[in-house]
Amino acid sequence: MSFLKTLDTNHYDVIVVSPRNFFVFTPLLPSVTVGTVEARSITESIRKIMRKKKNLEFCLSNCVHIDPFNHKVLCRPLVNFSEVEKGDFELEYDYLVVAVGAQSNTFNTPGVEKYCHFLKEIEDAEKIRESIVDCFELAALPSKSKADKSKLLHFVIVGGGPTGVEFAAEMHDLVYEDLHKLYPDLMEYVKISVIQSGDHILNTFDERISQFAELKFQRDGIEVKTGSRVLEIKDNAIVTKDKATGQITEVPYGMVVWSTGIGTRPLVSDLMKKIGQTDRRALATDEWLRVKGCENVYALGDCATIEQRKLLEDVSYIFALADADNSGTLSVKEFKDTFESIRNRYPQIDLYLKRQHMQDVASLLDDSISQKGGRPVLLDIEKFKSALSKVDAQMKTLPATAQVAAQQGEYLAWCFNHKTECKSHPEGPLRVRGEGRHQFPPFVYKHFGQFAPLGGERAAAELPGDWVSMGRSTQWLWYSVYASKQVSWRTRALVVFDWTKRFLFGRDTSRM
């Protein structure tokens, strides 16, 4: 969506193929599961968003096959065709942008597909909302024993990442702010558990946030079981194994939400096999979001991962580029001048300098160049490699978040909008292998922070500059940021209205 909103469609004929005709603001899906925010408030019609764009066509269809060699995609309509392949049609393309996202990763755990709820789509959130009410209504029946009530009102979240933690917090708030008034006799049976295979929940956040979240959940009565792996989901119990002791336990449950990470969609897996990207979890792209092994195919969001080129792969070429006088050694000035001209090509340089609190690229040489008799020792190829060996270790896969996808969409649209100008006047970094410059600067992700709502009007945030914030004020910051990030003024107003309505009247717990 960020790609479409930024793209200048006056220069392109655009066809959008999607199995849904609306955009979903996925970061608020946990709020939809408990009625804090209504489903319609975080969705907006794609046609409505794009109505002011020219040369744009929308097809409510599934892309079922990509032919990257003949530049074609096979699509299957979702409506008005009872026979599966009756309405299939092909589309030819000059450029293809794959942004199909990912699906929940079950790790082939038995019973997950059959008995668990996922939280990836708006339909998932609505099903969870219905299931919560069903559990309480069933437990309220006079025929249910105490054991039945304890089983029905045990809500289990598998996965201690941001989505799982936020849902657990929302679930706790729903129970103790709203449902306790409607089902006062059932409160003693309610239990919320978070099962995490790692040592801590929110392990991608700062350690202080993980500890704060665990302490808050402990005070709220939310059970956090770390170091526990799920072996199987049965119709009446979840089977777990403690990593430390090896003990296997069966725990009855009323509802399980599976939030353990993402897996590859079949369409992407099929494309990866065609282009030789086997044994991968996502499409490999270069720094310009071009799919490796394809021509004019781009991928962004959760379905793709950027394979950043390593400095050591090009170390001999970089050394030759810096060694302008062919002396076989580099001075500090030659080193600095070269790295200033190519640092955009290798974002890990800036990342390393930032994490090591270094001022400039010359700081990379501190351990490789020493002073002898007041004169600096010149840098040969081996010392050059030694200076750069630690830099590549800073490279990490980008997180599968909406923030990353949005930035990638805006970047790719900018590239398409400036394709003509950049062809004659390239704006990218110097080519290490070859002459001239790259056409575009490579994509560089800018992290603006991440939030973890923890319930009770408290949240934690990890913001740029190693700033960590926790508490009520952070929750209000979360409200303002998420309201501003809505895709339209309509959804922005509806979300704020839902939050206000919840403060005044509580959540709606009707089963509809």
Side-chain angles (χ1 to χ4, degrees):
M1 187 53 61
S2 63
F3 173 79
L4 287 174
K5 290 183 72 175
T6 311
L7 182 68
D8 183 359
T9 56
N10 291 314
H11 301 100
Y12 299 95
D13 291 321
V14 183
I15 301 178
V16 181
V17 178
S18 174
R20 63 186 187 196
N21 67 345
F22 55 88
F23 170 80
V24 181
F25 186 73
T26 53
L28 283 181
L29 279 179
S31 297
V32 175
T33 61
V34 297
T36 304
V37 172
E38 295 297 329
R40 292 279 179 181
S41 299
I42 63 168
T43 59
E44 186 67 274
S45 167
I46 292 177
R47 291 184 181 274
K48 187 174 181 181
I49 296 172
M50 297 294 115
R51 67 185 184 276
K52 295 181 180 179
K53 292 277 188 177
K54 298 180 180 179
N55 306 321
L56 182 64
E57 181 182 345
F58 178 79
C59 299
L60 186 66
S61 305
N62 258 321
C63 179
V64 294
H65 177 75
I66 296 174
D67 183 353
F69 309 109
N70 296 308
H71 291 198
K72 293 180 180 180
V73 294
L74 179 66
C75 304
R76 183 164 296 160
L78 297 186
V79 293
N80 294 333
F81 289 101
S82 56
E83 298 179 28
V84 174
E85 299 182 7
K86 184 178 179 181
D88 288 4
F89 60 94
E90 280 190 340
L91 294 173
E92 295 184 356
Y93 66 84
D94 297 309
Y95 303 100
L96 177 67
V97 179
V98 182
V100 297
Q103 62 187 16
S104 297
N105 193 349
T106 66
F107 300 98
N108 296 317
T109 306
V112 173
E113 293 280 357
K114 187 174 183 180
Y115 299 115
C116 291
H117 291 278
F118 301 109
L119 193 48
K120 290 289 292 178
E121 305 288 348
I122 198 74
E123 295 85 1
D124 298 333
E126 292 179 316
K127 287 177 182 176
I128 291 173
R129 186 174 178 179
E130 288 182 2
S131 184
I132 293 170
V133 178
D134 286 347
C135 287
F136 274 88
E137 292 295 351
L138 283 171
L141 295 176
S143 60
K144 299 298 180 183
S145 65
K146 290 184 177 180
D148 292 334
K149 293 177 181 179
S150 295
K151 172 183 176 296
L152 285 166
L153 298 180
H154 185 201
F155 301 94
V156 180
I157 300 96
V158 181
T163 302
V165 167
E166 185 174 349
F167 172 73
E170 289 277 8
M171 185 70 208
H172 178 270
D173 286 353
L174 171 68
V175 170
Y176 293 99
E177 291 178 7
D178 300 280
L179 295 181
H180 81 98
K181 302 172 187 176
L182 306 178
Y183 307 93
D185 297 334
L186 297 179
M187 288 301 103
E188 61 180 294
Y189 304 104
V190 177
K191 183 179 180 181
I192 302 171
S193 299
V194 178
I195 299 176
Q196 166 72 338
S197 61
D199 296 330
H200 298 281
I201 60 174
L202 297 178
N203 51 20
T204 60
F205 283 71
D206 187 277
E207 185 179 348
R208 290 167 289 178
I209 292 179
S210 295
Q211 293 175 351
F212 179 81
E214 289 173 0
L215 287 173
K216 185 180 186 306
F217 276 13
Q218 185 179 1
R219 290 194 301 269
D220 291 343
I222 299 175
E223 182 184 33
V224 178
K225 296 177 66 176
T226 56
S228 184
R229 188 166 69 91
V230 176
L231 300 180
E232 182 183 1
I233 307 291
K234 298 182 178 180
D235 61 343
N236 59 354
I238 181 169
V239 183
T240 63
K241 179 180 180 180
D242 188 276
K243 287 185 176 181
T245 64
Q247 182 180 0
I248 296 177
T249 309
E250 287 195 19
V251 181
Y253 67 86
M255 185 184 79
V256 178
V257 174
W258 189 270
S259 178
T260 60
I262 58 174
T264 311
R265 291 191 182 276
L267 175 69
V268 175
S269 297
D270 181 60
L271 175 60
M272 289 163 64
K273 290 178 182 177
K274 287 185 175 68
I275 60 178
Q277 291 190 16
T278 54
D279 300 324
R280 299 187 58 87
R281 293 185 179 180
L283 278 169
T285 72
D286 63 15
E287 300 89 333
W288 292 271
L289 308 185
R290 300 174 300 201
V291 176
K292 294 185 175 182
C294 292
E295 182 183 2
N296 293 337
V297 179
Y298 301 81
L300 50 88
D302 293 356
C303 70
T305 182
I306 298 174
E307 282 196 346
Q308 174 61 47
R309 191 162 187 84
K310 296 181 179 180
L311 276 166
L312 292 182
E313 291 181 60
D314 298 329
V315 66
S316 59
Y317 295 92
I318 299 172
F319 188 88
L321 182 67
D323 188 17
D325 57 2
N326 295 320
S327 63
T329 58
L330 301 182
S331 66
V332 174
K333 184 178 185 305
E334 287 177 322
F335 181 91
K336 287 182 64 174
D337 290 346
T338 301
F339 267 74
E340 288 297 339
S341 64
I342 67 167
R343 63 193 301 176
N344 289 342
R345 177 68 177 86
Y346 305 94
Q348 61 265 41
I349 297 173
D350 286 335
L351 186 60
Y352 181 79
L353 294 176
K354 179 180 177 182
R355 289 181 176 175
Q356 300 299 319
H357 305 289
M358 295 178 174
Q359 296 299 319
D360 56 40
V361 292
S363 303
L364 296 172
L365 303 178
D366 288 347
D367 296 330
S368 300
I369 292 185
S370 59
Q371 299 285 332
K372 286 187 179 180
R375 299 176 60 188
V377 177
L378 296 177
L379 198 68
D380 61 21
I381 185 68
E382 293 304 320
K383 289 182 179 179
F384 186 70
K385 289 180 181 179
S386 175
L388 303 183
S389 59
K390 296 179 181 179
V391 179
D392 283 333
Q394 300 299 310
M395 294 190 303
K396 292 184 179 180
T397 304
L398 295 178
T401 62
Q403 185 178 171
V404 172
Q407 290 186 32
Q408 288 177 336
E410 292 173 359
Y411 163 81
L412 189 58
W414 181 91
C415 291
F416 274 93
N417 292 344
H418 295 81
K419 189 176 283 288
T420 303
E421 304 96 288
C422 289
K423 191 171 184 178
S424 55
H425 299 89
E427 295 189 18
L430 283 173
R431 293 183 182 273
V432 174
R433 303 190 183 197
E435 301 293 330
R437 290 182 172 272
H438 290 278
Q439 188 173 357
F440 305 108
F443 171 75
V444 178
Y445 170 61
K446 296 179 181 178
H447 185 60
F448 294 113
Q450 52 186 346
F451 287 91
L454 301 174
E457 292 304 309
R458 286 174 174 81
E462 186 178 335
L463 302 173
D466 296 326
W467 181 43
V468 171
S469 175
M470 295 171 283
R472 291 183 181 273
S473 59
T474 310
Q475 179 68 30
W476 285 99
L477 178 63
W478 179 85
Y479 283 133
S480 62
V481 170
Y482 274 45
S484 67
K485 292 296 182 181
Q486 296 302 309
V487 73
S488 68
W489 281 104
R490 170 190 163 274
T491 55
R492 194 171 292 127
L494 287 175
V495 165
V496 172
F497 175 75
D498 286 344
W499 286 333
T500 306
K501 183 177 65 174
R502 195 267 296 178
F503 275 113
L504 296 176
F505 307 110
R507 300 169 180 84
D508 180 17
T509 57
S510 303
R511 190 194 188 288
M512 300 178 70

